[in-house]
Amino acid sequence: MTDMAWLGAFFLGASCLAIAYLFGARHSAHFFLSRRASGEAGIVADLNKKKASKQPLEIENLAEILEDFKMVLVVRNDLKMGKGKIAAQCSHATLGLYKKLYNRAPKALGRWEMCGQVKVVVKIESEDDMLALQEKAKLINLPTHVTIDAGRTQIAPNSRTVMAILGPADMVDDVTGGLKLL
C-alpha cells in the first residue's frame, strides 16, 4: 500500500474523530441541561460525584516535568483489517483514551496537545502480544485504551483491534519501541 493511501486513511480517521468529538460534546451538554431544566438534577449530581471520586492518574505528574508527549496506536496485524477499518479503529482508540484522560489527567492531555498531538501507528502480531504490551505499560503507569470491535463488518465481534498508549515519548518508546511502523 502506498504512503499516500495510508495518509488518506489517516486523515479520514482524524476527520471522523473530530466530528465524533464535536457531536458528542454538543449533545451530551444538551442532554444534561435539558435534564436539569426538567427537575431531574439528581442524575447530574450523581455523575459529578462520580467524576470527583476518581483520582488523577500518575501520568498527570509527569506532564509538569517532561516535555515530549506522544500517543502510539498499536494495530493487530493478524486481523488483516482493510485500511479504512484500521483508520476507524485507530480513531476509536484515540478517542477512547482521550475520554479516559479528559478528567483524570488534563495536564497530560494538554502537554500532548502542545506537542502537536503526535501519533505513531505500529503493528503487533497477536492479541496476546498486545495484552502483554498493555501490562508492560501499566507497570510503568502509562494509560492505555484497547478498542473492542462490534463485529459488524470485517472481523469477529469482541475482537481487540487497536491499543492506544499516551505518555512521555521516552517512556512510550520503552514499551513500543521494538514494534515496526504499520
Side-chain angles (χ1 to χ4, degrees):
M1 186 173 310
T2 67
D3 288 341
M4 291 302 289
W6 281 111
L7 189 59
F10 173 76
F11 283 118
L12 174 66
S15 299
C16 291
L17 175 64
I19 290 168
Y21 176 76
L22 292 173
F23 181 82
R26 173 178 287 163
H27 290 283
S28 63
H30 173 72
F31 171 77
F32 289 125
L33 291 174
S34 67
R35 289 291 210 182
R36 206 175 274 170
S38 66
E40 297 180 24
I43 293 172
V44 175
D46 288 343
L47 288 173
N48 287 336
K49 195 183 311 178
K50 182 178 176 185
K51 283 182 184 177
S53 70
K54 289 187 176 181
Q55 296 297 318
L57 298 174
E58 285 189 37
I59 188 108
E60 193 69 345
N61 299 327
L62 296 174
E64 295 177 4
I65 58 173
L66 298 172
E67 292 188 16
D68 293 333
F69 267 54
K70 73 176 179 180
M71 181 182 293
V72 173
L73 299 161
V74 181
V75 177
R76 281 188 50 201
N77 200 37
D78 60 315
L79 293 175
K80 305 297 182 206
M81 294 180 283
K83 61 187 173 186
K85 183 69 170 178
I86 290 171
Q89 296 301 299
C90 286
S91 295
H92 290 316
T94 300
L95 184 57
L97 186 53
Y98 191 93
K99 287 170 66 176
K100 188 180 285 186
L101 298 178
Y102 185 75
N103 289 315
R104 295 184 65 200
K107 289 177 190 171
L109 282 178
R111 176 66 67 191
W112 175 64
E113 289 171 342
M114 287 184 348
C115 293
Q117 300 175 8
V118 175
K119 289 174 276 318
V120 178
V121 183
V122 297
K123 58 186 174 182
I124 199 158
E125 294 306 317
S126 72
E127 180 178 20
D128 289 340
D129 291 344
M130 179 187 287
L131 295 176
L133 206 66
Q134 184 180 33
E135 284 303 313
K136 188 174 178 183
K138 284 180 181 181
L139 286 174
I140 59 173
N141 298 312
L142 290 178
T144 64
H145 176 80
V146 175
T147 297
I148 299 174
D149 191 65
R152 295 188 190 110
T153 56
Q154 298 179 13
I155 57 177
N158 300 317
S159 296
R160 291 178 177 96
T161 57
V162 176
M163 179 181 70
I165 178 174
L166 183 136
D170 292 342
M171 292 177 71
V172 173
D173 287 344
D174 287 343
V175 177
T176 63
L179 300 174
K180 293 183 179 183
L181 294 174
L182 183 66

